[in-house]
Amino acid sequence: MTNQTNKDYISLHHIGSRGGSRSFPINTKFEHEMINVLYDADPDCLQQAKKVNQQLKSKLIIYPYCLSNKKEFVEFYITYDPNLSSFYKPKKMSLDYYYFSHAGYDYNFNESSKIEKVINVETTTLDILLDEKKTDFIMPDFLSLDTQGSELKILDGSSICLENTLAVVLETEFIEFYENQPCFDDVLKYMKKKGFDFIRFTNTVEQNAYNYPVEIRSRGRITDADALFIRSPEYLEKTLRNNLSSYYKLSFIYISFDMLESALECVKKIDEKWKLSNHLEYYKFLNEVYECSKKFTIYPKKFSDKYTVEESHLRYAIHSHRKSSLRVFLCQLGPLTKIMRLIRDKAILFGISFRNLIINFKLIENLKKTEMEILLEKNNFHSLSEIVYTNRIKIYKSNGIL
């Protein structure tokens, strides 16, 4: 792997990787062009993280560091479930929030977050690691954090790395489970200030506050979620990352999170500013998607195509439901309307068979997968292909194509 190729590979950093997982979708077709960088403060879990990822073709780097906003010794709360351990002290909640685990038991926060011991740990920051490891440290293109409330603290110590990062996934809470922890509104303001657009929640957790028998369980409230933030192509133009490689990386990140149009916009900017490159497999794939997109020309109708200003204002008015002037005129004709209907019906019967053949043929053709949808499936973007297909059929139906 040359240094240049190493820079063009997409580096995926995940902080809080006790189980060896990451937040970026795994696509085995392009995994060999990814660099998987995992962090966890507990050295005992590093072998598990290595084992979980050993089948992947990405380059794997595991760092045994406890990350925060500066280098110091701090108290760290080890909880009954180690996954809830944090710099922040778990609160004793007045309502015992829980969710029903897939393993078949209730997962209660008050019980699982019980403090077993408090230890002193030495923290460091991403920017310090960058300085200490020099060229051996690979800057993050994608950064995800699952650290039980300390996500913003870690980002505060990662200003240089965060400036380089194209997308971030953070675990966020809507309830303060830990003392003085930042919640989603704090995260949203912080990330906006750093130049990231909030995209969506990639995963949400619903918990209930009242424990009832299994026969009468229903839905709870969203208590926490993984929030996805991505930089826009327009934002890149104002940064040091205004280069061909960054736009390809950003495009692949977008398409990995089912955002085809944004991915295409990135490649379009490459085509306008530089020249499309086939340097890597994911470059070639994105070029192919971009060229394929040019074959499609059907757009849905706009609101202005359907309604004039007057019609728009009349949609909810009482008199908008009155009979049209043509219908009123036909009603005034009396018996003549029956003759006109008879002529119309005969004309319909005369041409219906031939027209049905044409309609059925078009229907079958339109229901088939398009070249774009097949291309996405072929490259393991199955969910995106299904989204594109479903949206296309909906638009065809609403525009009378189906």
Side-chain angles (χ1 to χ4, degrees):
M1 187 189 299
T2 66
N3 286 335
Q4 183 56 47
T5 301
N6 193 42
K7 289 180 181 178
D8 294 336
Y9 282 11
I10 302 175
S11 60
L12 313 168
H13 291 235
H14 182 70
I15 302 171
S17 186
R18 175 174 292 275
S21 62
R22 73 184 195 207
S23 297
F24 194 83
I26 294 173
N27 186 322
T28 54
K29 183 117 183 184
F30 303 101
E31 188 66 23
H32 64 286
E33 293 176 344
M34 307 289 127
I35 302 172
N36 209 8
V37 186
L38 307 179
Y39 303 78
D40 202 273
D42 185 358
D44 294 335
C45 72
L46 300 184
Q47 281 303 315
Q48 181 187 4
K50 186 176 181 180
K51 185 177 180 180
V52 168
N53 289 275
Q54 65 184 1
Q55 300 300 323
L56 298 179
K57 293 182 179 180
S58 52
K59 178 181 179 180
L60 179 63
I61 301 171
I62 302 178
Y63 288 130
Y65 297 117
C66 185
L67 296 174
S68 185
N69 60 339
K70 58 185 174 180
K71 197 163 189 171
E72 62 177 347
F73 281 92
V74 298
E75 288 187 337
F76 191 76
Y77 298 93
I78 304 295
T79 55
Y80 181 28
D81 178 1
N83 289 305
L84 299 182
S85 299
S86 176
F87 294 131
Y88 291 94
K89 186 176 181 181
K91 293 177 68 174
K92 181 68 176 177
M93 307 295 289
S94 58
L95 297 173
D96 191 10
Y97 285 94
Y98 74 93
Y99 66 87
F100 184 70
S101 166
H102 293 298
Y105 56 84
D106 279 349
Y107 187 88
N108 300 69
F109 179 78
N110 280 342
E111 177 184 73
S112 304
S113 65
K114 181 182 176 184
I115 298 171
E116 295 295 316
K117 60 181 176 178
V118 181
I119 61 174
N120 284 324
V121 297
E122 185 179 13
T123 63
T124 188
T125 75
L126 280 183
D127 286 352
I128 290 174
L129 291 179
L130 170 64
D131 183 60
E132 290 177 347
K133 296 184 178 297
K134 309 298 181 186
T135 56
D136 290 335
F137 184 85
I138 301 169
M139 291 283 274
D141 296 309
F142 178 90
L143 178 61
S144 52
L145 304 94
D146 182 1
T147 57
Q148 303 306 308
S150 64
E151 288 82 6
L152 289 192
K153 212 170 198 180
I154 293 170
L155 291 182
D156 274 338
S158 313
S159 58
I160 299 173
C161 289
L162 187 60
E163 188 176 346
N164 180 83
T165 303
L166 299 172
V168 178
V169 169
L170 301 106
E171 184 186 46
T172 62
E173 279 75 37
F174 301 95
I175 295 175
E176 193 176 295
F177 285 109
Y178 296 84
E179 292 181 3
N180 301 314
Q181 74 164 111
C183 288
F184 176 68
D185 54 339
D186 304 302
V187 170
L188 188 63
K189 292 173 185 175
Y190 183 93
M191 295 304 290
K192 184 177 180 181
K193 187 177 179 181
K194 295 295 182 180
F196 289 89
D197 296 329
F198 172 63
I199 304 300
R200 74 175 79 95
F201 297 118
T202 60
N203 178 56
T204 58
V205 175
E206 282 191 17
Q207 299 192 56
N208 211 314
Y210 308 100
N211 205 312
Y212 276 79
V214 294
E215 294 86 355
I216 48 177
R217 295 277 176 99
S218 58
R219 295 198 64 171
R221 61 173 292 186
I222 295 177
T223 55
D224 49 289
D226 293 331
L228 172 65
F229 297 86
I230 306 181
R231 296 199 189 278
S232 69
E234 292 74 24
Y235 185 87
L236 279 193
E237 295 176 356
K238 302 176 287 185
T239 71
L240 295 176
R241 295 211 63 169
N242 186 26
N243 56 60
L244 178 145
S245 175
S246 293
Y247 281 96
Y248 270 122
K249 289 180 178 182
L250 183 59
S251 179
F252 192 80
I253 290 170
Y254 270 123
I255 207 167
S256 296
F257 286 96
D258 298 332
M259 299 179 71
L260 179 57
E261 298 97 316
S262 297
L264 289 169
E265 193 64 25
C266 292
V267 184
K268 181 181 177 183
K269 288 186 180 296
I270 294 171
D271 196 22
E272 292 171 350
K273 295 183 178 185
W274 300 283
K275 184 181 178 182
L276 298 183
S277 167
N278 289 320
H279 176 53
L280 293 172
E281 290 301 315
Y282 79 88
Y283 283 22
K284 294 178 186 177
F285 162 67
L286 292 169
N287 294 342
E288 195 174 351
V289 170
Y290 175 64
E291 294 300 334
C292 182
S293 71
K294 296 177 182 178
K295 300 176 183 180
F296 303 100
T297 58
I298 298 176
Y299 286 81
K301 292 179 181 178
K302 295 180 181 178
F303 184 80
S304 57
D305 295 326
K306 189 171 179 62
Y307 299 107
T308 65
V309 174
E310 183 182 3
E311 289 170 338
S312 173
H313 291 178
L314 288 174
R315 283 179 301 149
Y316 305 108
I318 296 174
H319 59 275
S320 67
H321 300 292
R322 292 183 304 184
K323 293 181 180 180
S324 68
S325 56
L326 176 61
R327 185 172 294 181
V328 171
F329 172 73
L330 290 175
C331 289
Q332 291 173 345
L333 292 179
L336 283 177
T337 57
K338 292 183 179 180
I339 298 172
M340 293 173 69
R341 288 196 191 102
L342 183 62
I343 294 171
R344 180 201 63 189
D345 293 343
K346 292 295 183 184
I348 290 173
L349 287 172
F350 181 76
I352 196 166
S353 298
F354 179 69
R355 190 169 72 253
N356 274 348
L357 284 174
I358 297 174
I359 290 172
N360 288 334
F361 176 76
K362 287 183 177 179
L363 179 64
I364 292 169
E365 285 298 307
N366 288 329
L367 288 174
K368 286 182 180 178
K369 291 290 180 80
T370 64
E371 184 180 342
M372 175 66 80
E373 291 153 7
I374 293 170
L375 174 61
L376 292 172
E377 285 186 355
K378 178 182 165 185
N379 288 276
N380 295 339
F381 290 95
H382 300 287
S383 65
L384 178 55
S385 176
E386 188 59 33
I387 290 169
V388 172
Y389 175 81
T390 301
N391 287 340
R392 176 173 63 84
I393 296 302
K394 283 180 180 177
I395 293 172
Y396 278 3
K397 286 180 178 179
S398 64
N399 282 266
I401 299 174
L402 283 180

mmCIF file of all heavy atoms in Angstrom, residues 85-106:
data_model
loop_
_atom_site.group_PDB
_atom_site.id
_atom_site.type_symbol
_atom_site.label_atom_id
_atom_site.label_comp_id
_atom_site.label_asym_id
_atom_site.label_seq_id
_atom_site.Cartn_x
_atom_site.Cartn_y
_atom_site.Cartn_z
ATOM 1 N N SER A 85 -20.141 2.300 31.331
ATOM 2 C CA SER A 85 -19.067 2.981 32.060
ATOM 3 C C SER A 85 -18.748 4.307 31.391
ATOM 4 O O SER A 85 -18.784 4.432 30.163
ATOM 5 C CB SER A 85 -17.815 2.097 32.091
ATOM 6 O OG SER A 85 -18.084 0.870 32.752
ATOM 7 N N SER A 86 -18.407 5.320 32.220
ATOM 8 C CA SER A 86 -18.241 6.655 31.668
ATOM 9 C C SER A 86 -17.452 7.561 32.602
ATOM 10 O O SER A 86 -17.280 7.263 33.792
ATOM 11 C CB SER A 86 -19.618 7.286 31.407
ATOM 12 O OG SER A 86 -19.506 8.612 30.959
ATOM 13 N N PHE A 87 -16.957 8.709 32.040
ATOM 14 C CA PHE A 87 -16.393 9.778 32.868
ATOM 15 C C PHE A 87 -17.482 10.411 33.716
ATOM 16 O O PHE A 87 -17.232 10.959 34.775
ATOM 17 C CB PHE A 87 -15.800 10.891 31.993
ATOM 18 C CG PHE A 87 -14.615 10.462 31.183
ATOM 19 C CD1 PHE A 87 -14.560 10.739 29.834
ATOM 20 C CD2 PHE A 87 -13.572 9.788 31.758
ATOM 21 C CE1 PHE A 87 -13.467 10.362 29.084
ATOM 22 C CE2 PHE A 87 -12.471 9.404 31.020
ATOM 23 C CZ PHE A 87 -12.418 9.692 29.673
ATOM 24 N N TYR A 88 -18.693 10.363 33.184
ATOM 25 C CA TYR A 88 -19.820 10.976 33.870
ATOM 26 C C TYR A 88 -20.457 9.970 34.832
ATOM 27 O O TYR A 88 -20.594 8.786 34.508
ATOM 28 C CB TYR A 88 -20.867 11.463 32.865
ATOM 29 C CG TYR A 88 -20.424 12.636 32.032
ATOM 30 C CD1 TYR A 88 -19.853 12.449 30.774
ATOM 31 C CD2 TYR A 88 -20.567 13.941 32.495
ATOM 32 C CE1 TYR A 88 -19.437 13.522 30.003
ATOM 33 C CE2 TYR A 88 -20.157 15.020 31.735
ATOM 34 C CZ TYR A 88 -19.586 14.802 30.484
ATOM 35 O OH TYR A 88 -19.168 15.871 29.731
ATOM 36 N N LYS A 89 -20.866 10.463 35.971
ATOM 37 C CA LYS A 89 -21.461 9.591 36.980
ATOM 38 C C LYS A 89 -22.916 9.289 36.603
ATOM 39 O O LYS A 89 -23.709 10.214 36.387
ATOM 40 C CB LYS A 89 -21.419 10.278 38.344
ATOM 41 C CG LYS A 89 -21.886 9.398 39.495
ATOM 42 C CD LYS A 89 -21.725 10.134 40.823
ATOM 43 C CE LYS A 89 -22.168 9.260 41.989
ATOM 44 N NZ LYS A 89 -22.037 9.975 43.282
ATOM 45 N N PRO A 90 -23.295 8.013 36.516
ATOM 46 C CA PRO A 90 -24.692 7.684 36.192
ATOM 47 C C PRO A 90 -25.645 8.225 37.253
ATOM 48 O O PRO A 90 -25.351 8.175 38.450
ATOM 49 C CB PRO A 90 -24.696 6.147 36.183
ATOM 50 C CG PRO A 90 -23.277 5.745 35.994
ATOM 51 C CD PRO A 90 -22.460 6.818 36.658
ATOM 52 N N LYS A 91 -26.756 8.745 36.798
ATOM 53 C CA LYS A 91 -27.750 9.280 37.727
ATOM 54 C C LYS A 91 -28.669 8.165 38.208
ATOM 55 O O LYS A 91 -28.944 7.204 37.472
ATOM 56 C CB LYS A 91 -28.584 10.361 37.026
ATOM 57 C CG LYS A 91 -27.807 11.619 36.671
ATOM 58 C CD LYS A 91 -28.670 12.613 35.928
ATOM 59 C CE LYS A 91 -29.754 13.208 36.794
ATOM 60 N NZ LYS A 91 -30.502 14.271 36.085
ATOM 61 N N LYS A 92 -29.143 8.283 39.402
ATOM 62 C CA LYS A 92 -30.187 7.394 39.900
ATOM 63 C C LYS A 92 -31.504 7.984 39.431
ATOM 64 O O LYS A 92 -31.983 8.995 39.948
ATOM 65 C CB LYS A 92 -30.139 7.299 41.430
ATOM 66 C CG LYS A 92 -31.187 6.377 42.029
ATOM 67 C CD LYS A 92 -30.924 4.923 41.668
ATOM 68 C CE LYS A 92 -31.936 4.009 42.374
ATOM 69 N NZ LYS A 92 -31.752 2.589 41.980
ATOM 70 N N MET A 93 -32.088 7.356 38.401
ATOM 71 C CA MET A 93 -33.279 7.926 37.784
ATOM 72 C C MET A 93 -34.508 7.681 38.658
ATOM 73 O O MET A 93 -34.677 6.595 39.232
ATOM 74 C CB MET A 93 -33.501 7.307 36.410
ATOM 75 C CG MET A 93 -32.285 7.374 35.481
ATOM 76 S SD MET A 93 -31.828 9.052 35.039
ATOM 77 C CE MET A 93 -33.174 9.493 33.940
ATOM 78 N N SER A 94 -35.377 8.681 38.744
ATOM 79 C CA SER A 94 -36.610 8.520 39.525
ATOM 80 C C SER A 94 -37.546 7.527 38.842
ATOM 81 O O SER A 94 -38.314 6.828 39.508
ATOM 82 C CB SER A 94 -37.311 9.869 39.695
ATOM 83 O OG SER A 94 -37.599 10.436 38.426
ATOM 84 N N LEU A 95 -37.490 7.468 37.504
ATOM 85 C CA LEU A 95 -38.228 6.467 36.743
ATOM 86 C C LEU A 95 -37.211 5.474 36.186
ATOM 87 O O LEU A 95 -36.199 5.867 35.614
ATOM 88 C CB LEU A 95 -39.008 7.120 35.594
ATOM 89 C CG LEU A 95 -40.090 8.120 36.009
ATOM 90 C CD1 LEU A 95 -40.667 8.821 34.779
ATOM 91 C CD2 LEU A 95 -41.198 7.416 36.791
ATOM 92 N N ASP A 96 -37.471 4.202 36.367
ATOM 93 C CA ASP A 96 -36.497 3.186 35.961
ATOM 94 C C ASP A 96 -36.695 2.823 34.487
ATOM 95 O O ASP A 96 -37.435 1.895 34.151
ATOM 96 C CB ASP A 96 -36.625 1.944 36.840
ATOM 97 C CG ASP A 96 -35.460 0.989 36.627
ATOM 98 O OD1 ASP A 96 -34.482 1.388 35.959
ATOM 99 O OD2 ASP A 96 -35.529 -0.152 37.121
ATOM 100 N N TYR A 97 -36.050 3.560 33.616
ATOM 101 C CA TYR A 97 -36.192 3.331 32.177
ATOM 102 C C TYR A 97 -35.622 1.973 31.789
ATOM 103 O O TYR A 97 -34.568 1.565 32.271
ATOM 104 C CB TYR A 97 -35.484 4.439 31.394
ATOM 105 C CG TYR A 97 -36.247 5.737 31.404
ATOM 106 C CD1 TYR A 97 -35.972 6.718 32.355
ATOM 107 C CD2 TYR A 97 -37.258 5.964 30.481
ATOM 108 C CE1 TYR A 97 -36.679 7.911 32.379
ATOM 109 C CE2 TYR A 97 -37.973 7.155 30.494
ATOM 110 C CZ TYR A 97 -37.679 8.116 31.431
ATOM 111 O OH TYR A 97 -38.392 9.283 31.458
ATOM 112 N N TYR A 98 -36.317 1.304 30.895
ATOM 113 C CA TYR A 98 -35.875 -0.019 30.454
ATOM 114 C C TYR A 98 -36.346 -0.262 29.018
ATOM 115 O O TYR A 98 -37.262 0.388 28.513
ATOM 116 C CB TYR A 98 -36.458 -1.116 31.352
ATOM 117 C CG TYR A 98 -37.926 -1.362 31.108
ATOM 118 C CD1 TYR A 98 -38.353 -2.354 30.213
ATOM 119 C CD2 TYR A 98 -38.896 -0.580 31.722
ATOM 120 C CE1 TYR A 98 -39.701 -2.559 29.965
ATOM 121 C CE2 TYR A 98 -40.239 -0.772 31.470
ATOM 122 C CZ TYR A 98 -40.636 -1.769 30.595
ATOM 123 O OH TYR A 98 -41.976 -1.963 30.324
ATOM 124 N N TYR A 99 -35.681 -1.179 28.365
ATOM 125 C CA TYR A 99 -36.192 -1.704 27.098
ATOM 126 C C TYR A 99 -36.045 -3.216 27.122
ATOM 127 O O TYR A 99 -35.218 -3.768 27.851
ATOM 128 C CB TYR A 99 -35.491 -1.081 25.884
ATOM 129 C CG TYR A 99 -34.022 -1.409 25.735
ATOM 130 C CD1 TYR A 99 -33.601 -2.557 25.052
ATOM 131 C CD2 TYR A 99 -33.049 -0.554 26.250
ATOM 132 C CE1 TYR A 99 -32.258 -2.842 24.902
ATOM 133 C CE2 TYR A 99 -31.699 -0.838 26.093
ATOM 134 C CZ TYR A 99 -31.313 -1.985 25.422
ATOM 135 O OH TYR A 99 -29.979 -2.272 25.287
ATOM 136 N N PHE A 100 -36.853 -3.863 26.311
ATOM 137 C CA PHE A 100 -36.850 -5.325 26.259
ATOM 138 C C PHE A 100 -35.741 -5.755 25.318
ATOM 139 O O PHE A 100 -35.763 -5.491 24.128
ATOM 140 C CB PHE A 100 -38.200 -5.849 25.782
ATOM 141 C CG PHE A 100 -38.307 -7.352 25.796
ATOM 142 C CD1 PHE A 100 -38.360 -8.038 26.997
ATOM 143 C CD2 PHE A 100 -38.342 -8.072 24.609
ATOM 144 C CE1 PHE A 100 -38.456 -9.420 27.015
ATOM 145 C CE2 PHE A 100 -38.431 -9.452 24.621
ATOM 146 C CZ PHE A 100 -38.498 -10.130 25.823
ATOM 147 N N SER A 101 -34.734 -6.433 25.859
ATOM 148 C CA SER A 101 -33.579 -6.829 25.079
ATOM 149 C C SER A 101 -33.922 -7.956 24.116
ATOM 150 O O SER A 101 -34.798 -8.783 24.374
ATOM 151 C CB SER A 101 -32.458 -7.292 26.021
ATOM 152 O OG SER A 101 -31.454 -7.961 25.314
ATOM 153 N N HIS A 102 -33.195 -7.983 22.981
ATOM 154 C CA HIS A 102 -33.370 -9.072 22.012
ATOM 155 C C HIS A 102 -32.973 -10.419 22.619
ATOM 156 O O HIS A 102 -33.381 -11.476 22.139
ATOM 157 C CB HIS A 102 -32.533 -8.808 20.755
ATOM 158 C CG HIS A 102 -33.001 -7.626 19.967
ATOM 159 N ND1 HIS A 102 -34.256 -7.567 19.404
ATOM 160 C CD2 HIS A 102 -32.389 -6.455 19.661
ATOM 161 C CE1 HIS A 102 -34.391 -6.410 18.769
ATOM 162 N NE2 HIS A 102 -33.283 -5.722 18.918
ATOM 163 N N ALA A 103 -32.153 -10.370 23.668
ATOM 164 C CA ALA A 103 -31.726 -11.614 24.316
ATOM 165 C C ALA A 103 -32.801 -12.165 25.250
ATOM 166 O O ALA A 103 -32.626 -13.237 25.838
ATOM 167 C CB ALA A 103 -30.436 -11.373 25.097
ATOM 168 N N GLY A 104 -33.910 -11.420 25.395
ATOM 169 C CA GLY A 104 -35.037 -11.954 26.152
ATOM 170 C C GLY A 104 -35.157 -11.488 27.573
ATOM 171 O O GLY A 104 -35.774 -12.164 28.407
ATOM 172 N N TYR A 105 -34.589 -10.341 27.903
ATOM 173 C CA TYR A 105 -34.712 -9.821 29.266
ATOM 174 C C TYR A 105 -34.898 -8.308 29.232
ATOM 175 O O TYR A 105 -34.586 -7.647 28.240
ATOM 176 C CB TYR A 105 -33.475 -10.177 30.100
ATOM 177 C CG TYR A 105 -32.166 -9.717 29.501
ATOM 178 C CD1 TYR A 105 -31.694 -8.420 29.700
ATOM 179 C CD2 TYR A 105 -31.399 -10.594 28.735
ATOM 180 C CE1 TYR A 105 -30.499 -8.001 29.150
ATOM 181 C CE2 TYR A 105 -30.195 -10.180 28.181
ATOM 182 C CZ TYR A 105 -29.749 -8.890 28.387
ATOM 183 O OH TYR A 105 -28.566 -8.467 27.832
ATOM 184 N N ASP A 106 -35.407 -7.756 30.332
ATOM 185 C CA ASP A 106 -35.537 -6.309 30.468
ATOM 186 C C ASP A 106 -34.173 -5.712 30.819
ATOM 187 O O ASP A 106 -33.490 -6.193 31.732
ATOM 188 C CB ASP A 106 -36.536 -5.953 31.577
ATOM 189 C CG ASP A 106 -37.973 -6.048 31.097
ATOM 190 O OD1 ASP A 106 -38.179 -6.187 29.881
ATOM 191 O OD2 ASP A 106 -38.876 -5.992 31.948
#
